[in-house]
């Protein structure tokens, strides 16, 4: 596929999404404004300009916050199922614009077009989930210890939810948060990654259209743009009761401190260092598919990417040969061309981190069995394309303990029982996704037991990469402890209130206390 074809497709997509020319980075509904400096977004696919956007200044931010605060007063009084109806309409708009948005995601972020479409599908799926949820935001009722009293709990919206998102899921992470927050009665202000700002504007346009068509206040959906400094406007702002932040552990620790200092709530979705344990009873074919897709999919830039394969010594050589052979078949190139398996890294800084990881693993005594390297020449002009690499390493290497956001897979050997593999799996600081490949029931159950994986996600005979929206998504330890998307993750977007009603003419005190006046 030539650059011309890519750009022809992308130009159309940008037009459909209303993001051509210079865009304003601050939006309240369909009203766009900004007075900050210009950010240029370059595609890692071909190095060309995707679009320009003006950053949000503190004065712009104040305008956004005022609109959001005011919109909340209307939105919170609308019955939740009616809010669900708005989210249903938003999901339908996404269905209409799926191809255009999928293409923009692929072009601005660098993931394959199929993955771009998959990301938009996740947005649609969470909308469907949220619509159903809008009729199920229920609390419990309890028996009161006092006669003639009724006790129950209910959930109320929090207010303005601040969403800070990472470059690698430039649209889905926002939707996971916002679709739930909206049905819960919250309004949202979103700061997308400064590396994928055009995706943010495109999503804002789609959502804002729905709110405008329903004559709802514009401030329900707000967008701000810029780097960490703009993110800090929100993390420090006492008017925002919840900050949902997705990104690196370094970012999460900073945001968590800012939010905790003002006793706000934070929902943190941070880095992972995900492993697949391969036991002597593993299905080799399934293991190879799971490991290779997990390690090289999205060029290793998923929070759930497979970074470590912990293989039993008895099948180590067999698995190593099979995975190395599979890597020989990988095609690296333009992600909009569906013949390619691996696209570019997000930018040249990411390429440096990849190169640094390969140097470090060798310095620490590792052995590169698939060497990797940076690609240059025709089709690779952006300088962001790298070859997926595999290194034999030891679990305690510093670099193995670290999340390198690139396609570098470490092969680690274990001996003895599955407990030893679980120890290796758990000894990193991150705790997002984990998997075991085995047909042995005892090993699988041990892995899932209280003595097993310490991650938020633990899979059997499925890789680490990706997740369905129906389950709560997130991880422990340095991954931040947050949960979003399915199950009861909605509760974080609401405040719980316990209510006791006395329908008698007496006022009995709890615990039988007498207070005679
Ligand atoms: P990043 O931490 O560099 O940036 C993420 C976002 O945080 C950006 O919008 C950035 O502007 C903002 N930010 C950075 N510092 C901030 C600060 N001090 N205050 C407020 N905002 C700040 O991450 P990235 O490079 O965009 O994304 C890759 C990382 O994200 C990886 O570590 C990956 O594992 C993680 N990630 C995690 C999940 C998850 O669900 N656990 C999902 C996607 C990505």
């Amino acid at each position: 596929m030539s650059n011309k074809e890519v750009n022809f497709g992308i130009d159309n997509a940008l037009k459909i999404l209303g993001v051509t020319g210079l865009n304003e980075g601050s939006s309240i509904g369909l009203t766009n404004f900004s007075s900050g400096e210009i950010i240029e977004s370059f595609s890692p696919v071909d190095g060309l300009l995707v679009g320009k956007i003006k950053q949000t200044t503190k004065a712009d931010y104040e305008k956004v916050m005022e609109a959001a605060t005011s919109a909340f007063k209307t939105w919170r009084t609308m019955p939740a199922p009616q809010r669900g109806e708005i989210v249903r309409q938003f999901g339908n708009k996404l269905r209409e614009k799926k191809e255009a948005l999928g293409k923009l995601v692929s072009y601005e972020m660098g993931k394959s077009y199929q993955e771009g479409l998959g990301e938009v599908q996740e947005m649609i799926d969470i909308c469907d989930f949220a619509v159903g949820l809008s009729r199920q935001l229920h609390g419990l009722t309890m028996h009161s210890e006092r006669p003639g009293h009724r006790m129950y709990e209910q959930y109320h919206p929090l207010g303005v939810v601040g969403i800070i998102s990472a470059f690698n899921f430039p649209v889905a992470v926002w939707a996971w948060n916002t679709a739930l927050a909206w049905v819960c009665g919250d309004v949202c202000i979103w700061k997308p990654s400064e590396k994928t700002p055009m995706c943010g504007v495109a999503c804002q346009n789609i959502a804002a259209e729905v709110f405008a068509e329903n004559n709802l206040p514009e401030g329900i959906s707000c967008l701000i743009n810029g780097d960490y400094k703009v993110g800090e406007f929100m993390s420090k702002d006492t008017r925002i009761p919840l900050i949902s932040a997705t990104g690196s552990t370094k970012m999460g620790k900073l945001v968590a401190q800012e939010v905790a200092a003002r006793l706000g709530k934070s929902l943190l979705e941070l880095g992972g260092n995900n492993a697949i344990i391969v036991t002597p009873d593993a299905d080799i074919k399934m293991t190879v598919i799971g490991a290779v897709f997990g390690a090289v999919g999205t060029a290793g830039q998923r929070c759930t990417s497979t970074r470590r394969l912990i293989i039993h010594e008895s099948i180590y050589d067999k698995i190593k040969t099979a995975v190395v052979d599979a890597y020989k078949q990988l095609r690296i190139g333009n992600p909009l061309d569906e013949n390619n398996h691996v696209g570019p890294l997000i930018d040249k800084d990411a390429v440096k981190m990849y190169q640094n990881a390969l140097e470090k693993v060798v310095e620490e005594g590792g052995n590169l069995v698939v060497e990797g390297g940076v690609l240059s020449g025709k089709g690779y002009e952006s300088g962001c394309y790298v070859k997926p690499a595999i290194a034999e390493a030891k679990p305690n290497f510093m670099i193995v303990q670290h999340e390198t956001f690139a396609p570098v897979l470490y092969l680690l050997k274990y001996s003895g029982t599955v407990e030893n593999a679980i120890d290796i799996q758990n000894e990193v600081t991150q705790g997002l996704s984990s998997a075991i490949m085995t047909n042995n029931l005892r090993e699988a159950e041990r892995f899932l037991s209280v003595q097993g994986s310490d991650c938020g996600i633990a899979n059997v005979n499925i890789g680490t990469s990706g997740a369905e929206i129906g389950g709560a998504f997130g991880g422990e330890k340095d991954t931040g402890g947050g949960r979003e998307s399915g199950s009861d993750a909605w509760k974080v977007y609401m405040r719980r209130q316990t209510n006791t009603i006395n329908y008698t003419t007496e006022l009995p005190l709890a615990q039988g206390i007498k207070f005679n006046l």
Side-chain angles (χ1 to χ4, degrees), residues 165-168 191 194 246-248 251 269-271 303 403 473:
S165 61
F167 78 84
N168 66 326
K191 192 203 86 61
E194 58 275 34
T246 301
S248 58
M251 175 281 290
E269 297 282 353
L270 313 175
C303 48
E403 180 198 41
F473 180 84

Side-chain angles (χ1 to χ4, degrees), residues 163-169 173 176 190-196 226-235 243 245-255 258 268-274 301-304 307 346 353 403 405 432 473-475 479-480 484:
I163 302 165
I164 297 172
S165 61
F167 78 84
N168 66 326
F169 275 90
V173 165
W176 287 0
W190 176 29
K191 192 203 86 61
S193 165
E194 58 275 34
K195 295 176 184 174
T196 50
D227 61 10
Y228 73 96
K229 292 185 221 90
V230 177
E232 281 177 356
F233 294 162
M234 293 206 288
S235 53
I243 296 284
T246 301
S248 58
T249 297
K250 184 174 162 224
M251 175 281 290
K253 285 183 176 170
L254 293 169
V255 168
E258 296 287 2
L268 300 173
E269 297 282 353
L270 313 175
N273 191 350
N274 318 297
Q301 298 171 107
R302 287 187 181 210
C303 48
T304 52
R307 315 224 173 264
I346 184 69
M353 283 193 270
E403 180 198 41
F405 220 50
L432 181 52
F473 180 84
T479 304
E484 58 193 26

